[in-house]
Amino acid sequence: MMRDNIEKLYQALGFQRWLAKTHDTESISKARHDKNAAKRIVRKPTAPIEPNVIDANYTSWLNEHPSALASFKGMMSLAKGKRIVVFLDYDGTLSPIVNDPDSAFMSDPMRSAVREVARHFPTAIISGRSRGKVYEFVKLDEVYYAGSHGMDIMGPPRLLKSKYQTKALDEKGNEFTVFQPAQEFLPAIGKMLNELEEETKSIEGVMIEDNRFCISVHYRQVQDEEYGMLEEKVQSVLTRYPRFHLTRGKMVLEIRPSIKWNKGNALEYLLDTLGYAKNTEDVLPVYIGDDRTDEDAFKVLKGRGQGYPIIVSSTPRDTMASYSLYDPSEVLSFLIRLARWGGMSSQ
């Protein structure tokens, strides 16, 4: 049954040719360089690019950031005897990038794969979305959640050591610890939301998203000629709030509190609360993400000298990741293999 669901997902993603083959490395490599690859690129190029040029650049980039699927056996051979901890971004990693952010639904096969991974390894989802919204998409109680780029973390229960920590219970009565280092910014964020909605209401296609501790201004459906006006209006509002700053993601402007906290800090916090201190040598974190904000987490893993930072990208790009996956369908394949490996290694 699960195999049938997975095949339906691949068909939806345009991998019909892939389905005729098995999960071997050669088939995956061929799927990456399919003639339709250029059509799957989310970012619009400023000028037409020939598919063979894209393939050549991507192939060269893969030499520096090899496929985590093709490298899986080697990666897991180094993981023996270590305690794996899995961190996942959401949009563009567990779900495809879509025009309507409210429709970035997670597929049933992906949900099943994440659930299976969480059965064997501590697993957390770190997203720019609000923690509540990510939970609504994922609907799994087996994982930990960090929303607002790590500024709203639901972690394991522990002794409270910070004024930003509180104890809470989930719907099943299980205790967990909430960590929110940007609480003082909530009133200002509420005011800014109202101002942004008022200032941008004349621009068709813009979507203002309340992500609790940050604000996302989505412009994927805004006309190119109106983008300049949109950014001006956002910057105009931002000038009235000097304790906030602007960052950029995939077709989104994000306003965040100017505190020293990001996805990398969230990763370290969760590792610490899970009992894997910085000097713990037998821990092996795996972080999979597709966004610029995930680079903060990749940087942390590089600094620790341990773990596997994996970028999800269909185009060559600067990154601190060591490995790559092409798109969410390859993330699904990787998670299925990781769960299977976890099951066998625990026997």
Side-chain angles (χ1 to χ4, degrees):
M1 179 66 69
M2 183 173 180
R3 172 70 178 174
D4 293 340
N5 289 336
I6 293 173
E7 291 188 355
K8 288 179 182 179
L9 173 64
Y10 278 115
Q11 287 176 330
L13 292 171
F15 275 76
Q16 292 91 338
R17 290 178 59 193
W18 185 93
L19 289 170
K21 304 181 183 293
T22 60
H23 277 235
D24 62 326
T25 302
E26 181 182 1
S27 300
I28 293 166
S29 177
K30 288 180 180 179
R32 282 185 173 213
H33 303 292
D34 186 272
K35 64 182 180 179
N36 292 321
K39 297 179 182 178
R40 294 194 295 269
I41 296 174
V42 174
R43 185 181 61 181
K44 295 179 181 178
T46 54
I49 301 176
E50 294 298 325
N52 62 331
V53 175
I54 295 175
D55 288 349
N57 290 340
Y58 191 77
T59 301
S60 176
W61 182 76
L62 281 176
N63 292 329
E64 298 180 17
H65 312 284
S67 163
L69 284 173
S71 308
F72 187 83
K73 287 184 179 180
M75 293 167 69
M76 292 303 105
S77 67
L78 297 176
K80 291 180 180 178
K82 296 185 181 294
R83 294 179 290 176
I84 293 176
V85 187
V86 179
F87 299 92
L88 304 164
D89 182 29
Y90 184 75
D91 292 279
T93 299
L94 298 180
S95 73
I97 298 292
V98 295
N99 286 335
D100 180 4
D102 289 335
S103 300
F105 300 115
M106 189 182 195
S107 70
D108 289 336
M110 184 69 85
R111 183 174 293 104
S112 296
V114 174
R115 181 187 291 112
E116 286 301 304
V117 167
R119 282 184 58 201
H120 303 291
F121 314 109
T123 302
I125 296 174
I126 304 179
S127 172
R129 302 271 197 149
S130 69
R131 176 164 56 88
K133 188 167 294 184
V134 176
Y135 180 81
E136 288 177 8
F137 280 136
V138 179
K139 295 185 173 71
L140 291 176
D141 295 323
E142 295 89 344
V143 304
Y144 301 109
Y145 295 88
S148 304
H149 298 289
M151 288 181 282
D152 187 6
I153 302 176
M154 185 202 78
R158 59 171 295 174
L159 292 176
L160 303 184
K161 298 180 180 179
S162 166
K163 65 179 181 179
Y164 302 124
Q165 292 176 314
T166 56
K167 290 185 178 181
L169 299 175
D170 63 17
E171 294 179 356
K172 297 181 179 180
N174 300 313
E175 184 179 294
F176 60 91
T177 301
V178 175
F179 179 75
Q180 298 174 331
Q183 294 172 353
E184 63 184 285
F185 294 89
L186 285 176
I189 290 173
K191 293 179 181 179
M192 205 183 318
L193 272 168
N194 293 332
E195 293 178 22
L196 284 168
E197 289 172 353
E198 180 65 27
E199 290 285 338
T200 64
K201 65 182 181 181
S202 63
I203 301 176
E204 187 175 352
V206 66
M207 177 179 174
I208 311 295
E209 184 178 15
D210 178 4
N211 283 317
R212 188 159 171 73
F213 291 99
C214 57
I215 301 172
S216 298
V217 182
H218 298 275
Y219 58 87
R220 188 172 297 276
Q221 299 187 70
V222 172
Q223 296 296 317
D224 290 345
E225 57 269 21
E226 292 195 284
Y227 171 75
M229 181 191 305
L230 172 63
E231 183 164 344
E232 281 185 18
K233 290 180 178 295
V234 172
Q235 293 281 13
S236 175
V237 172
L238 189 60
T239 58
R240 300 194 285 272
Y241 297 88
R243 299 180 67 196
F244 291 81
H245 66 281
L246 187 71
T247 62
R248 301 170 192 275
K250 290 184 176 180
M251 307 294 282
V252 61
L253 301 173
E254 294 189 308
I255 298 174
R256 298 160 62 179
S258 296
I259 62 173
K260 293 182 179 180
W261 197 264
N262 53 44
K263 288 185 176 183
N265 300 113
L267 182 152
E268 290 185 305
Y269 173 87
L270 283 165
L271 283 175
D272 181 56
T273 57
L274 288 166
Y276 305 116
K278 196 169 185 178
N279 59 352
T280 305
E281 295 182 358
D282 66 343
V283 63
L284 196 150
V286 176
Y287 189 106
I288 307 176
D290 76 304
D291 200 67
R292 292 181 186 179
T293 57
D294 296 309
E295 293 294 330
D296 293 317
F298 298 159
K299 183 178 180 180
V300 166
L301 293 188
K302 288 284 191 178
R304 293 173 66 104
Q306 59 184 185
Y308 296 135
I310 304 172
I311 189 169
V312 183
S313 181
S314 60
T315 56
R317 53 193 280 196
D318 291 334
T319 180
M320 295 192 72
S322 301
Y323 296 93
S324 66
L325 293 167
Y326 189 85
D327 59 13
S329 69
E330 286 203 355
V331 174
L332 174 60
S333 293
F334 182 87
L335 294 178
I336 290 172
R337 293 186 67 178
L338 182 61
R340 187 180 301 138
W341 184 88
M344 291 188 297
S345 63
S346 63
Q347 294 178 356

